[in-house]
């Protein structure tokens, strides 16, 4: 059977500016074909087995030619794959989405298109400029400023006669041609102009001037492409509406598994931080082998289950369902968990934890659980393959304990360049470590070169994580009093507020 190609608009850069539909399709993609300027965090949202094909330009290299992109999409669809073609902004706004779509449909491939938020509107918006406003502009017009492929240049006579806002994409290198052309065709040289570079990202910079002087301002402020140039009186609104550049938010790097980063990102947004995702570990549930399924299904023979992480709960119940297990068989089982978040996930499944130690560390769980156990008890600990044995050793002093390894933690060293770029470009204010494995992941991904962490504030969620940090040469700048994501956020909030005094 032939596959299908989804042409999806990824939005202008800000991770949150993709449609829900686009995100759902990315999360089920078998092949992802993507361009430059796509937020990397979207790429992390693809399933682990998804084949990722980059077709954009790399610094000195050239992009994959359009006919090869078309051919790649076609071949992957012929293989029966579910292909996501992810494009910056909207696929049909100077995005060649039309060309790719027609090529595929002509060859009998099913195509579906998901629009995206185009940079031509979102860029001005994030610079505090509404493209229309009843007092200033009743239309807006979007042009390409790149004429390499065009036979004709811009018709400045026509353009200068338009009353609305003028937006130019791909025009950074041709700014002088555009401003001179407009002035030459009679547009007032004092018309306001804004040039917005890397719009909607943390690197966004906006230069404001007039048709007469904008070039000089852009040069002074050292703006770089990609950039949008906008001409029109609406630029005046920026004085009031520049919410994004004025937000003064601190950014926080999230290193945990991509699928778990959402929960942390949401909490950070609520607390007025900017989350930046660069997953350095990946949680992989172990293959549901007959042995593992049998071990999990045997859980009804235990009197206690100990969960040490939200992952443990999720992976365990997924395996239990696969094993054909029935929740009613667990009526007599008691649950001990480490951490509020673990308890919450367990409660969502429908089991109230029987024991949560005050301190969210495994020693506290072991010591607190010990008096509740007798020699007749049996304890199952479904958890990560990399966890240490201390917890098991302590509980085994009382009764039999089975350590069931249900998931692996893989270190994503392939994210090194993204990580280095984030840390080197001063894009990050805080690096919280929410587990010992994120510490190990980061240090390994950086090849032990932790110099770049000097510029950021590191945060330890708890004593085990801190111990790992110290061992690998990182002294935490902040420590969470409560060993939870909330505790980490509290620590950062306390610090950033005291900085303002
Ligand atoms: N389909 C895209 C546009 C592709 S053309 C969209 O709808 O946004 C590429 C041009 O878009 C760049 O040369 C630049 O002018 C503009 N652009 C895209 N993303 C941008 C961003 N984040 N900041 C500024 N300009 C951007």
């Amino acid at each position: 059977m032939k596959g299908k190609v989804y042409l999806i608009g990824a939005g202008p850069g800000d991770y949150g500016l993709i449609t829900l539909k686009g995100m759902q399709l990315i999360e089920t993609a078998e092949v992802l074909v993507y361009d430059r300027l796509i937020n990397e965090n979207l790429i992390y949202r693809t399933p682990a087995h998804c084949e990722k094909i980059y077709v954009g330009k790399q610094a000195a290299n050239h992009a994959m030619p359009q006919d090869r992109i078309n051919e790649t999409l076609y071949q992957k669809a012929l293989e029966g794959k579910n292909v996501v073609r992810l494009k910056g902004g909207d696929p049909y706004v100077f995005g060649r989405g039309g060309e790719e779509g027609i090529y595929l449909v002509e060859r009998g491939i099913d195509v579906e298109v998901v629009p995206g938020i185009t940079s031509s509107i979102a860029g001005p918006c994030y610079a505090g400029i509404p493209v229309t406003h009843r007092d200033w502009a009743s239309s807006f017009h979007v042009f390409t400023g790149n004429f390499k492929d065009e036979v004709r240049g811009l018709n400045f006579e026509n353009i200068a006669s338009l009353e609305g806002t003028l937006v130019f994409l791909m025009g950074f290198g041709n700014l002088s041609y555009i401003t001179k052309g407009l002035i030459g065709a009679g547009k007032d040289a004092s018309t306001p102009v804004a040039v917005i570079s890397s719009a909607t990202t943390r690197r966004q910079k906006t230069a404001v001037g007039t048709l007469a002087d904008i070039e000089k301002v852009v040069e002074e402020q050292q703006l770089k492409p990609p950039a949008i140039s906008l001409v029109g009186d609406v630029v005046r609104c920026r004085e009031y509406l520049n919410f994004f550049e004025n937000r003064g938010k601190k950014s926080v790097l999230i290193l945990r598994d991509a699928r778990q980063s959402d929960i942390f990102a949401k909490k950070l947004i609520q607390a007025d931080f900017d989350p930046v995702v660069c997953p350095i570990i990946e949680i992989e549930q172990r293959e549901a082998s007959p042995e593992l399924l049998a071990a999990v299904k045997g859980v009804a023979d235990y009197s206690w289950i100990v969960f040490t992480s939200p992952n443990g709960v999720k992976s365990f119940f997924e395996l239990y369902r696969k094993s054909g297990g029935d929740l009613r068989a667990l009526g007599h089982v008691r649950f001990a968990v480490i951490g509020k978040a673990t308890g919450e996930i367990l409660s969502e499944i429908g089991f109230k934890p029987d024991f949560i130690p005050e301190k969210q560390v495994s020693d506290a769980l072991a010591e607190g659980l010990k008096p509740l156990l007798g020699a007749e008890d049996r304890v199952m600990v479904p958890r990560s393959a990399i966890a240490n044995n201390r917890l098991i050793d302590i509980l085994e002093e009382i009764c039999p304990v089975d350590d069931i390894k249900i998931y692996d933690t893989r270190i994503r060293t392939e994210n090194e360049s993204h990580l280095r770029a984030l840390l080197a470009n001063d894009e990050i204010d805080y690096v919280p470590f929410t587990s010992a494995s994120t510490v190990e992941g980061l240090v390994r991904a950086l090849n032990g070169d932790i110099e770049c962490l000097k510029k950021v504030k590191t945060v330890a969620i708890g004593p085990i994580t801190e111990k790992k940090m110290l061992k690998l040469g990182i002294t935490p700048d902040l420590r969470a009093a409560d060993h939870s994501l909330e505790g980490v956020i509290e620590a950062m909030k306390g610090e950033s507020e005291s900085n303002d005094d």
Side-chain angles (χ1 to χ4, degrees):
M1 220 179 73
K2 270 186 252 167
K4 186 165 179 175
V5 177
Y6 295 92
L7 298 175
I8 299 179
D14 180 344
Y15 175 58
L17 295 182
I18 184 168
T19 61
L20 191 53
K21 188 166 183 184
M23 182 64 103
Q24 284 163 348
L25 290 165
I26 290 172
E27 285 177 341
T28 53
E30 290 172 301
V31 179
L32 177 80
V33 180
Y34 65 103
D35 286 334
R36 212 163 63 94
L37 304 182
I38 300 285
N39 188 311
E40 309 220 15
N41 302 330
L42 294 172
I43 297 156
Y44 299 139
R45 296 304 291 254
T46 54
H49 53 77
C50 172
E51 180 186 357
K52 301 174 203 68
I53 305 174
Y54 175 74
V55 297
K57 253 180 262 178
Q58 215 109 42
N61 304 334
H62 287 289
M64 185 189 278
Q66 188 61 44
D67 49 358
R68 270 197 44 219
I69 299 178
N70 294 350
E71 184 58 22
T72 305
L73 295 171
Y74 175 58
Q75 286 304 334
K76 293 294 167 189
L78 275 190
E79 287 170 24
K81 297 284 170 51
N82 177 5
V83 184
V84 164
R85 169 72 173 114
L86 196 57
K87 290 174 157 292
D90 179 87
Y92 284 169
V93 178
F94 303 124
R96 301 196 175 183
E99 292 168 45
E100 292 176 14
I102 290 171
Y103 180 93
L104 295 164
V105 171
E106 277 181 345
R107 284 158 185 77
I109 303 295
D110 263 359
V111 172
E112 206 175 297
V113 187
V114 181
I117 299 184
T118 171
S119 63
S120 52
I121 297 174
C125 170
Y126 269 42
I129 305 168
V131 289
T132 72
H133 183 292
R134 280 202 299 174
D135 297 337
W136 306 110
S138 59
S139 64
F140 66 96
H141 311 264
V142 182
F143 304 92
T144 168
N146 178 3
F147 314 106
K148 271 184 234 142
D149 312 330
E150 311 270 322
V151 184
R152 291 168 290 136
L154 290 172
N155 182 337
F156 285 113
E157 297 300 320
N158 280 351
I159 299 173
S161 70
L162 295 167
E163 162 284 341
T165 304
L166 310 175
V167 181
F168 298 87
L169 301 192
M170 298 181 279
F172 191 77
N174 286 331
L175 190 58
S176 142
Y177 168 74
I178 293 168
T179 51
K180 290 200 173 78
L182 288 173
I183 294 172
K187 193 103 184 153
D188 191 334
S190 66
T191 312
V193 182
V195 175
I196 310 147
S197 121
S198 292
T200 81
T201 74
R202 288 191 63 81
R203 297 177 301 284
Q204 176 172 320
K205 247 183 166 180
T206 305
V208 176
T210 61
L211 278 177
D213 69 8
I214 188 67
E215 257 189 285
K216 203 172 91 240
V217 184
V218 165
E219 203 172 15
E220 276 165 11
Q221 302 193 2
Q222 300 180 352
L223 261 58
K224 294 189 193 78
I228 292 155
S229 311
L230 180 146
V231 180
D233 289 325
V234 284
V235 172
R236 301 180 204 281
C237 298
R238 179 172 152 83
E239 200 184 313
Y240 302 91
L241 295 176
N242 187 11
F243 71 96
F244 184 70
E245 290 164 31
N246 288 342
R247 74 202 188 291
K249 283 193 190 177
K250 301 274 186 196
S251 68
V252 180
L253 186 61
I254 304 185
L255 297 166
R256 56 204 333 236
D257 179 276
R259 282 166 295 255
Q260 292 175 354
S261 50
D262 265 5
I263 210 170
F264 193 17
K266 262 188 220 154
K267 289 182 202 282
L268 286 167
I269 291 169
Q270 276 163 5
D272 225 20
F273 287 103
D274 241 359
V276 179
V277 182
C278 181
I280 212 65
I281 57 169
E282 184 165 23
I283 306 291
E284 280 171 356
Q285 195 172 307
R286 286 215 162 169
E287 200 191 323
S289 65
E291 298 78 41
L292 183 57
L293 288 178
V296 165
K297 195 164 183 194
V299 65
D301 298 337
Y302 292 77
S303 47
W304 280 90
I305 307 183
V306 175
F307 286 118
T308 58
S309 72
N311 279 319
V313 180
K314 278 193 224 153
S315 305
F316 176 82
F317 283 102
E318 207 170 310
L319 286 167
Y320 188 61
R321 190 179 50 75
K322 281 191 188 151
S323 76
D326 186 320
L327 290 183
R328 286 171 297 187
L330 306 184
H332 66 285
V333 178
R334 284 187 285 168
F335 294 92
V337 306
I338 301 178
K340 266 190 255 159
T342 315
E344 276 164 23
I345 302 257
L346 185 63
S347 304
E348 275 170 26
I349 290 171
F351 295 105
K352 267 184 39 202
D354 297 275
F355 176 65
I356 308 187
E358 189 86 5
K359 279 179 105 183
Q360 308 194 16
V361 295
S362 58
D363 275 12
L365 180 119
E367 294 306 336
L369 185 58
K370 241 168 115 177
L372 305 178
L373 297 176
E376 68 293 351
D377 277 306
R378 263 189 92 183
V379 181
M380 180 192 272
V381 190
R383 59 181 190 159
S384 160
I386 60 162
N388 74 32
N389 275 335
R390 232 181 112 68
L391 171 69
I392 309 291
D393 292 344
I394 297 176
L395 296 179
E396 267 182 343
E397 290 168 19
I398 310 290
C399 67
V401 180
D402 285 319
D403 184 6
I404 311 275
K405 309 218 181 291
I406 55 172
Y407 64 90
D408 290 294
T409 307
R410 185 177 78 82
I411 292 181
R412 297 185 65 152
T413 43
E414 73 271 21
N415 289 342
E416 176 188 350
S417 59
H418 181 204
L419 190 64
R420 278 190 193 279
L422 286 172
L423 292 167
N425 293 342
D426 290 331
E427 287 188 52
I428 304 296
D429 296 304
Y430 292 102
V431 178
F433 292 99
T434 54
S435 66
S437 55
T438 53
V439 184
E440 190 166 338
L442 180 96
V443 173
R444 271 222 246 153
L446 292 175
N447 263 324
D449 173 17
I450 52 172
E451 232 356 75
C452 51
L453 288 178
K454 291 243 159 75
K455 292 203 264 178
V456 301
K457 294 242 154 74
T458 57
V459 192
I461 194 169
I464 295 183
T465 303
E466 177 169 355
K467 220 166 120 192
K468 186 66 146 199
M469 290 170 74
L470 293 171
K471 194 169 157 207
L472 297 180
I474 307 168
T475 309
D477 296 295
L478 301 168
R479 293 170 183 80
D482 185 47
H483 309 313
S484 61
L485 295 179
E486 285 77 10
V488 167
I489 291 174
E490 276 307 307
M492 296 187 299
K493 266 218 124 35
E495 209 259 350
S496 56
E497 272 155 24
S498 61
N499 266 358
D500 295 340
D501 293 342

